[in-house]
Amino acid sequence: MSGAATTSHTIAVIGGDGIGPECLDQGLKVLSATSEKHGLEFEPVVYPFGTDHWLRTGGTEGGETLPDSAFADIQQMDAVLLGAIGDPRAPVGLVEHGVIMTLRVGLDLFVNLRPVKLYDQRLCPLKDKGPADVDMVFVRENTEDAYTAQPTFEAKGTPDEVASQPMRYTRHGTERVIRYAFELSRKRARSHKLLMIDKANAVRAQDLWTRTFEEVGAEFPDIERDHAYIDAACMWMLKNPEWFDVAVTTNLFGDIITDVGAMLQGGLGIAASGNIHPGQVSLFEPIHGSAPKYKGQNVANPVASIMAVSMMLDHLGHAAAARDIEDTVARLIRERKIESLSAGVQPTDVLGDLVAEAVAE
Ligand code: IPM
Ligand code: MG
């Protein structure tokens, strides 16, 4: 892993399924324009993993999702860019698990960082809310919870069937993500407040989160502690988004509430995320899925992939280059050169060229 001073990086690029590869191509276009301007060098190593690859290598007869040898190579790189995974030709969750979960868990990417920032009033579905009201960041735990517990089925297919997949939390996993969120709250100038979102009133196992939040919080006396249950948090997000600054939550709840967040900032066309282990190889991706119906048509909106590239640059210590991309996208949105964040308004490659050229200026 390269430190902040390193200007040359090797990155793994996994386009994946559906619109993933074509969107990520635009991200790479913007990355190369930005690198040139800021004196950085990126060597992308492109991998074919995704449903096509799984089918080509045998599908249900032992098809490959992410081979160990590639995983070992990726571990030695500086970062990963991922497009999207998901395709109806494979069993639900199989390739997602084989690629996304393998990387999240295998690389121990315990933070799923999801900024929610509105760049222009016209993109917000809430009336009377503008950019000053929607500027928050979610820290979603990324390696535990029902996501990584084993599903079990007893008496499968019978009227007595019982299925379960427990919400499992460890002190270690809970503590490190909460500590990361407190540190982030300290860096954010906005409010120095951290909101913890859980459902400890119903899921009593989350008492571990309650206690850990209090104990770690005692080390951060300058950060105000706040708490909301997930159902109420979803409601407040829509009613008073200006109350949100930094929030920390469990894996499953974080998955759900950050899709709500994406809508507040203009939709999945712009929402990006980082799967992070501080100081180690981390993965950046748009939040949107693979949208198979748009595949190969040059209609998908690549802005989220471009924002994922910005997050990657920030993680690698290139804050100015990261901000350059973010500011450029924000300006193009305000100037209506990026007309929409939806699919089918401007061609995918046209949007990529637009941002790349504007960054280079
Ligand atoms: C996300 C996605 C994934 C998740 C899916 C594809 C497994 O929805 O990154 O939010 O649930 O984490
Ligand atoms: Mg999700």
Side-chain angles (χ1 to χ4, degrees):
M1 171 70 201
S2 314
T6 313
T7 55
S8 165
H9 302 279
T10 305
I11 57 169
V13 174
I14 305 173
D17 295 331
I19 60 168
E22 56 201 280
C23 289
L24 213 48
D25 280 348
Q26 309 313 311
L28 292 173
K29 208 184 257 180
V30 173
L31 177 62
S32 91
T34 313
S35 312
E36 199 164 316
K37 181 170 164 189
H38 291 264
L40 308 172
E41 244 174 273
F42 280 85
E43 191 201 323
V45 178
V46 178
Y47 289 102
F49 309 128
T51 303
D52 278 334
H53 182 80
W54 176 76
L55 286 169
R56 262 198 312 269
T57 53
T60 45
E61 311 290 309
E64 191 174 82
T65 50
L66 190 123
D68 293 346
S69 58
F71 180 82
D73 290 343
I74 290 171
Q75 262 181 319
Q76 304 306 315
M77 297 185 190
D78 295 327
V80 185
L81 283 174
L82 179 77
I85 302 287
D87 186 308
R89 291 172 300 166
V92 174
L94 189 146
V95 184
E96 289 88 331
H97 212 273
V99 179
I100 303 180
M101 296 312 292
T102 297
L103 288 167
R104 284 182 183 169
V105 175
L107 297 172
D108 198 25
L109 306 175
F110 65 90
V111 171
N112 194 318
L113 190 69
R114 300 193 160 189
V116 173
K117 192 166 177 181
L118 177 67
Y119 294 109
D120 193 48
Q121 165 99 58
R122 84 186 140 98
L123 301 173
C124 187
L126 302 181
K127 80 172 151 35
D128 306 329
K129 300 292 176 190
D133 302 306
V134 180
D135 183 2
M136 61 192 90
V137 51
F138 285 87
V139 177
R140 162 187 174 190
E141 200 288 322
N142 210 30
T143 53
E144 302 198 331
D145 209 341
Y147 270 76
T148 49
Q150 275 306 314
T152 60
F153 300 89
E154 287 164 44
K156 195 166 182 174
T158 74
D160 298 322
E161 178 161 358
V162 179
S164 79
Q165 187 160 345
M167 300 171 104
R168 184 176 179 278
Y169 310 103
T170 65
R171 169 73 194 211
H172 171 68
T174 305
E175 183 173 329
R176 64 182 179 173
V177 77
I178 286 178
R179 179 164 282 110
Y180 178 96
F182 272 109
E183 279 159 7
L184 181 66
S185 307
R186 209 168 243 177
K187 282 188 223 137
R188 292 255 305 183
R190 215 162 153 259
S191 73
H192 292 271
K193 191 176 82 178
L194 177 62
L195 173 69
M196 185 176 73
I197 301 171
D198 61 43
K199 190 68 193 177
N201 55 345
V203 181
R204 289 303 297 135
Q206 292 184 355
D207 182 57
L208 174 60
W209 278 71
T210 310
R211 283 181 278 116
T212 308
F213 187 63
E214 288 310 309
E215 285 166 33
V216 176
E219 296 168 26
F220 295 83
D222 50 321
I223 306 299
E224 194 189 324
R225 298 198 283 277
D226 201 357
H227 171 261
Y229 294 125
I230 181 66
D231 49 349
C234 289
M235 173 191 69
W236 294 123
M237 281 267 284
L238 300 181
K239 196 170 180 300
N240 294 98
E242 67 279 7
W243 291 355
F244 288 75
D245 184 7
V246 183
V248 62
T249 190
T250 59
N251 200 346
L252 183 57
F253 296 160
D255 175 50
I256 298 164
I257 199 167
T258 55
D259 269 25
V260 177
M263 288 303 120
L264 296 183
Q265 66 181 136
L268 292 170
I270 191 166
S273 65
N275 297 255
I276 293 172
H277 189 124
Q280 294 186 23
V281 52
S282 296
L283 180 153
F284 300 84
E285 56 177 339
I287 292 182
H288 66 65
S290 55
K293 66 178 175 186
Y294 294 137
K295 178 184 176 164
Q297 293 178 39
N298 201 29
V299 296
N301 197 307
V303 171
S305 290
I306 293 170
M307 296 303 276
V309 166
S310 168
M311 291 187 76
M312 177 187 76
L313 284 166
D314 194 57
H315 175 76
L316 293 173
H318 307 303
R323 209 171 322 109
D324 201 357
I325 296 179
E326 187 190 352
D327 290 350
T328 302
V329 167
R331 176 171 62 79
L332 293 171
I333 286 173
R334 283 194 298 267
E335 290 172 350
R336 299 197 179 225
K337 290 185 178 140
I338 294 175
E339 293 166 37
S340 163
L341 296 173
S342 304
V345 179
Q346 288 159 288
T348 310
D349 57 353
V350 167
L351 281 166
D353 291 340
L354 182 71
V355 181
E357 282 159 26
V359 164
E361 268 165 26

